[in-house]
Amino acid sequence: MSFDAKGNDVSLSIYKGKVLSIVNVASECGFTDSNYTELNQLYAKYKDQGSEILAFPCNQFGGQERGSNEQILEVARTRFKAEFPIFGKAIAGLISLLYYFSISFFFKEKPSTILLVCLF
């Protein structure tokens, strides 16, 4: 179980069978505008083909994501027009390990494809 930016529990099993791009994001990074633009383009192009982007805000890289989860979600939705799922803050170094094992556990098998992307 994980939680979204509003604090709601999210069962990772809802992503079973999808190609996942798990990314960490930061709204005050110098690359934020281009990263969100490209993520939005990818999401629009592939969301109906079984692909999903899961964004995990992270404050580890120079304090570039200082807001609360709710503030981060608001910025992602209004300023960057992100429509893909935004989760609660995460520790970037743990994303790949924790979510790979969490997804494997909830799916009872290895996931189809997971693309882990670190954006900073």
Side-chain angles (χ1 to χ4, degrees):
M1 194 67 72
S2 189
F3 64 95
D4 65 17
K6 293 181 180 180
N8 300 313
D9 288 336
V10 177
S11 173
L12 297 177
S13 65
I14 65 174
Y15 301 109
K16 183 175 184 174
K18 294 190 177 207
V19 175
L20 302 178
S21 297
I22 300 175
V23 299
N24 74 294
V25 293
S27 59
E28 297 177 29
C29 171
F31 299 106
T32 300
D33 289 331
S34 61
N35 287 344
Y36 269 104
T37 297
E38 292 173 9
L39 288 170
N40 286 331
Q41 290 169 348
L42 284 171
Y43 188 68
K45 184 173 183 176
Y46 296 109
K47 68 180 178 180
D48 295 329
Q49 298 176 36
S51 181
E52 192 69 66
I53 294 173
L54 309 181
F56 291 85
C58 178
N59 195 41
Q60 286 177 269
F61 305 106
Q64 297 172 345
E65 194 65 275
R66 292 184 284 264
S68 68
N69 287 331
E70 294 80 13
Q71 292 168 327
I72 293 166
L73 180 62
E74 179 69 19
V75 169
R77 296 285 188 249
T78 58
R79 180 175 165 201
F80 300 115
K81 310 298 183 215
E83 295 180 14
F84 45 83
I86 309 289
F87 286 79
K89 278 188 187 179
I91 298 171
L94 296 178
I95 290 174
S96 58
L97 291 176
L98 291 178
Y99 284 91
Y100 180 80
F101 289 114
S102 294
I103 289 168
S104 296
F105 175 77
F106 284 107
F107 293 169
K108 307 296 186 217
E109 59 188 43
K110 291 184 179 175
S112 305
T113 305
I114 298 178
L115 172 63
L116 300 166
V117 181
C118 184
L119 303 173
F120 56 90

